[in-house]
């Protein structure tokens, strides 16, 4: 009855797994938002350091993790895999449920797995300052920590609704030395133009990205960092799935289904891509992305070229999108409120390698409470979507009387998200309907990319 499956520090992966050579087809080009032509490395150099641009387009299957990064990973990696014995018992399921817990990092989620290498590559490339955005504050606190470790300055544009809902995330960023600005702000042209039209605007990830990109593009000493979506971010997160595969092997098991919550796609890619490689090689494994019904990018969006941000400054990618000016409702799983998705995850969904499901937030909190009461750990609201998916699979196994192995990524803890639990317990948590009309309107503004 082993509960924690642990690896020693020398088992921290030495290489990131790059899924690009194993994708089901060629990647769509990334498009320059001004010229509507494929981006060149020079376009990207205005906001990213060269090593990250190289990783973004690399076709090498394995990419070495620098020692300086592995040294810092040692603070929380390898992360544990838990067998959810108590949850299984409470559900009365014949399924074996495992979860890979990423909440033990200093910031409390998977996000430092990419923040640390991003800060490292910026540092060795001569960057002095990083501008970035954050939704719920998990990415902002992770990059603040990473910048502190490598001696970089850091400015974080934080989506205004989260700035109000999660004041302690702001304090964490300040503690690690970052400047935090509620977005939309008057610091940038894109922020000011939104506030002129709508002074009460509560912000979105798309707007905060515009502000951070504008900030970085306008200063020679500053680069931009993104906590999800991009290929190199998904790449860095693959240490999650690599470790998990080894841990399940130690338990003599292999998943029938792998589940992750999906915002921009990075923790999902992290747990899923190493298993997608097995699937491409003929293994029978289902891979499921869980997203909020109020921001149903993968399930109700279209697979098309779209801007990564609201002000149309970020590159255009082919991805599932709800439209770059779609303003999702202010749900508590703030890290899942993004109009787009990782182009890699999108292509896998389009090719049928990955399944996607959308779930309303109250059912996710039901799952999070059931999980906390059995397993003890209080999940981040984002992660509760993966728990919902895992519990539903386990209940189906019970109905079918079938044994099944379920692995999910518990991407973070919810210690700084207790306001969301308060709202749930006091019955104030609303389930927003899929805002069909708003999405239809937003989808009518997609860029006209002709290649
Ligand atoms: C705990 C947690 N899980 C998941 C996500 C979603 O991001 P991604 O899809 O990049 O993993 C976030 C984003 O902030 C998060 O904080």
């Amino acid at each position: 009855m082993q509960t924690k499956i642990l690896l020693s520090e020398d088992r921290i992966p030495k290489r990131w797994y790059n899924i690009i050579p194993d994708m089901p087809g060629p990647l769509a080009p990334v498009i320059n938002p001004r010229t509507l032509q494929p981006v060149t490395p020079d376009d990207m150099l205005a906001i990213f350091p060269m090593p990250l641009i190289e990783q973004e387009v690399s076709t090498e299957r394995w990419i070495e993790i620098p020692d300086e990064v592995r040294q810092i990973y040692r603070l929380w990696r390898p992360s544990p895999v838990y067998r959810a014995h108590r949850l299984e018992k409470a559900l009365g399921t014949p399924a074996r449920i495992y979860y890979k817990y990423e909440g033990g990092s200093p910031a409390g989620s998977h996000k430092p797995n990419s923040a640390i290498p991003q800060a490292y590559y910026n540092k060795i490339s001569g960057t002095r300052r990083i501008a970035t955005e954050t939704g719920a504050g998990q990415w902002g606190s992770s990059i603040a920590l990473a910048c502190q470790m490598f001696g970089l300055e850091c400015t974080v544009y934080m989506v205004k609704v989260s700035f109000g809902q999660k004041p302690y995330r702001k304090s964490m960023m300040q503690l690690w030395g970052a400047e935090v600005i509620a977005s939309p702000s008057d610091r940038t042209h894109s922020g000011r133009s939104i506030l002129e039209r709508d002074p009460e605007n509560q912000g979105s990830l798309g707007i905060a990205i515009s502000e951070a990109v504008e900030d970085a593009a306008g200063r020679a000493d500053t680069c931009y960092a993104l906590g999800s979506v991009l290929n190199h971010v998904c790449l860095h997160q693959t240490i999650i799935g690599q470790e998990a595969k080894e841990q399940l092997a130690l338990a003599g098991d292999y998943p029938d289904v792998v589940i992750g919550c999906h915002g921009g796609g990075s923790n999902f890619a992290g747990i899923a891509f190493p298993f997608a490689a097995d699937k491409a090689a003929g293994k029978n494994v289902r891979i499921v992305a869980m997203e909020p019904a109020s921001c149903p990018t993968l399930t109700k969006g279209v697979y098309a070229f779209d801007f990564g941000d609201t002000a149309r400054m970020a590159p255009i990618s082919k991805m599932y999108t709800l439209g770059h000016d779609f303003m999702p409702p202010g749900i508590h799983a703030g890290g899942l409120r993004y109009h787009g998705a990782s182009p890699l995850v999108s292509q896998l969904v389009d090719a049928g390698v990955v399944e996607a499901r959308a779930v309303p937030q109250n059912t996710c909190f039901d799952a999070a409470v059931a999980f906390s009461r059995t397993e003890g750990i209080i999940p981040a609201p984002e992660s509760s979507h993966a728990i919902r998916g895992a519990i539903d699979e386990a209940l189906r196994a019970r109905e079918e009387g079938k044994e099944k192995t379920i692995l999910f990524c518990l991407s973070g803890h919810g210690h700084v998200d207790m306001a969301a639990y308060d709202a749930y317990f006091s019955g104030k948590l609303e389930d927003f309907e899929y805002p069909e009309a708003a999405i239809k309107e937003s989808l009518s503004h997609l860029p006209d990319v002709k290649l």
Side-chain angles (χ1 to χ4, degrees):
M1 279 280 285
Q2 196 171 352
T3 296
K4 287 196 306 304
I5 306 162
L6 302 172
L7 298 174
S8 59
E9 278 179 24
D10 62 344
R11 302 305 303 158
I12 295 173
K14 295 192 170 59
R15 299 176 304 175
W16 291 300
Y17 166 60
N18 179 17
I19 198 171
I20 291 176
D22 297 324
M23 286 297 281
L27 304 193
V30 177
I31 305 295
N32 181 317
R34 285 186 309 281
T35 62
L36 295 187
Q37 291 303 310
V39 288
T40 62
D42 277 352
D43 294 336
M44 304 292 277
L45 266 176
I47 53 171
F48 291 114
M50 196 43 132
L52 292 176
I53 298 171
E54 284 166 359
Q55 288 185 357
E56 190 64 17
V57 295
S58 172
T59 51
E60 295 292 319
R61 185 169 284 115
W62 296 101
I63 294 179
E64 197 89 9
I65 305 178
D67 269 349
E68 292 85 340
V69 171
R70 287 182 83 244
Q71 288 305 333
I72 298 179
Y73 279 168
R74 282 171 192 266
L75 291 173
W76 69 94
R77 303 213 73 84
S79 67
V81 161
Y82 287 80
R83 171 87 186 267
H85 291 296
R86 288 177 178 75
L87 178 65
E88 288 170 18
K89 196 161 168 229
L91 297 173
T93 177
R96 289 183 296 281
I97 306 176
Y98 297 89
Y99 55 96
K100 176 77 167 157
Y101 183 45
E102 292 295 315
S105 76
S109 76
H110 65 294
K111 296 281 180 183
N113 297 336
S114 183
I116 297 295
Q118 289 196 46
Y120 167 77
Y121 288 118
N122 270 287
K123 181 71 182 180
I124 62 167
S125 306
T127 308
R128 218 179 52 76
R129 174 175 172 269
I130 297 253
T132 193
E133 75 293 321
T134 196
Q138 288 271 17
W139 169 248
S141 44
S142 303
I143 193 81
L145 164 79
C147 285
Q148 184 59 230
M149 291 199 156
F150 287 105
L152 297 168
E153 283 178 35
C154 181
T155 294
V156 183
Y157 293 87
M158 183 173 191
V159 176
K160 200 172 275 173
V161 61
S162 301
F163 191 87
Q165 276 176 351
K166 308 202 169 173
Y168 295 124
R169 278 278 160 203
K170 185 179 66 182
S171 312
M172 287 168 75
M173 290 182 250
Q174 287 168 337
L175 189 153
W176 282 316
E179 173 194 31
V180 191
I181 296 166
S183 166
S185 76
D186 59 7
R187 283 273 286 261
T188 63
H189 173 73
S190 24
R192 285 190 297 275
S193 71
I194 284 162
L195 288 174
E196 268 162 32
R197 273 180 277 136
D198 176 12
E200 299 307 315
N201 190 298
Q202 288 303 294
S204 69
L205 264 185
I207 295 171
I209 293 173
S210 301
E211 294 208 80
V213 170
E214 185 183 327
D215 179 324
R219 276 180 63 163
D221 66 346
T222 302
C223 272
Y224 168 68
L226 185 62
S228 190
V229 180
L230 298 178
N231 300 350
H232 66 265
V233 186
C234 294
L235 171 81
H236 299 154
Q237 295 293 352
T238 57
I239 47 180
I240 302 175
Q242 289 185 61
E243 287 176 6
K245 209 190 277 189
E246 188 171 341
Q247 287 160 305
L248 257 68
L250 281 178
D253 222 333
Y254 187 86
D256 295 296
V257 54
V258 176
I259 300 169
C261 67
H262 188 281
S266 75
N267 90 96
F268 177 75
I271 190 89
F273 284 3
F275 292 97
D278 291 355
K279 189 166 173 144
K283 269 267 192 197
N284 189 12
V285 51
R286 285 176 54 222
I287 306 176
V288 185
M290 300 293 298
E291 63 179 7
S294 54
C295 188
T297 313
L298 298 174
T299 49
K300 296 280 170 62
V302 295
Y303 185 44
F305 282 101
D306 197 8
F307 298 96
D309 69 328
T310 307
R312 307 171 180 211
M313 294 177 65
I316 297 170
S317 303
K318 189 164 184 197
M319 59 182 176
Y320 275 92
T321 178
L322 297 168
H324 56 275
D325 49 10
F326 170 67
M327 182 73 73
I331 54 166
H332 279 278
L336 305 186
R337 291 173 77 239
Y338 182 56
H339 70 272
S342 145
L344 293 172
V345 174
S346 297
Q347 191 177 343
L348 292 173
V349 171
D350 186 59
V353 176
V354 165
E355 302 165 35
R357 271 190 68 202
V359 273
Q361 64 176 346
N362 269 295
T363 67
C364 295
F365 276 85
D366 295 343
V369 169
F371 183 85
S372 306
R373 289 182 179 172
T374 49
E375 296 298 311
I377 297 172
I378 301 171
E382 289 83 2
S383 317
S384 71
H385 292 68
I387 302 176
R388 180 73 268 162
I391 290 182
D392 289 348
E393 290 289 338
L395 293 176
R396 191 163 328 124
R398 184 179 74 187
E399 273 163 35
E400 294 169 354
K402 270 196 199 148
E403 276 197 20
K404 174 175 357 175
T405 300
I406 300 166
L407 168 67
F408 74 91
C409 182
L410 186 63
S411 52
H413 69 65
H415 297 179
V416 198
D417 301 290
M418 295 315 291
Y421 284 91
D422 273 356
Y424 170 78
F425 287 121
S426 56
K428 289 194 191 125
L429 208 64
E430 279 176 69
D431 277 333
F432 293 97
E433 286 296 311
Y434 154 56
E436 196 164 355
I439 292 173
K440 202 165 162 214
E441 157 66 14
S442 183
L443 286 177
S444 65
H445 306 153
L446 296 185
D448 189 16
V449 175
K450 292 192 187 73
L451 294 173

